[in-house]
Amino acid sequence: MGLLSSVIPYSLELEALRRMPAQVFGILMSLEPAVAALVGVALLGEVLTGRQWAAICCVIVACAGATLGARTPPEAPES
């Protein structure tokens, strides 16, 4: 169970980070709280309050804003 809950997802995330731009990866990572909440609602029958949904939305917006607002480092001058 330990492998399924931590090692496998972590190694898949690292592999995804190697294959896609960091900004896209950051935006996808900001969706994790919403996906986890939807899985909880769908599979576990959890009920979230409006405040909890608003908090999830705030986390997603903040992460996406930080990712999109990040400046790319300037390219090194050619010698």
Side-chain angles (χ1 to χ4, degrees), residues 38-55:
L38 290 174
V39 168
V41 169
L43 297 179
L44 301 176
E46 293 184 6
V47 178
L48 299 178
T49 65
R51 179 178 275 179
Q52 290 169 322
W53 283 112

Side-chain angles (χ1 to χ4, degrees), residues 4-57:
L4 293 176
S5 66
S6 59
V7 173
I8 293 173
Y10 181 72
S11 50
L12 290 174
E13 286 177 357
L14 285 178
E15 189 62 33
L17 183 57
R18 289 184 192 127
R19 294 175 186 246
M20 66 177 58
Q23 288 181 329
V24 174
F25 182 78
I27 291 171
L28 291 175
M29 293 299 288
S30 70
L31 296 176
E32 279 189 358
V35 172
L38 290 174
V39 168
V41 169
L43 297 179
L44 301 176
E46 293 184 6
V47 178
L48 299 178
T49 65
R51 179 178 275 179
Q52 290 169 322
W53 283 112
I56 290 169
C57 289

Side-chain angles (χ1 to χ4, degrees), residues 51-70:
R51 179 178 275 179
Q52 290 169 322
W53 283 112
I56 290 169
C57 289
C58 288
V59 168
I60 291 170
V61 168
C63 291
T67 302
L68 292 174

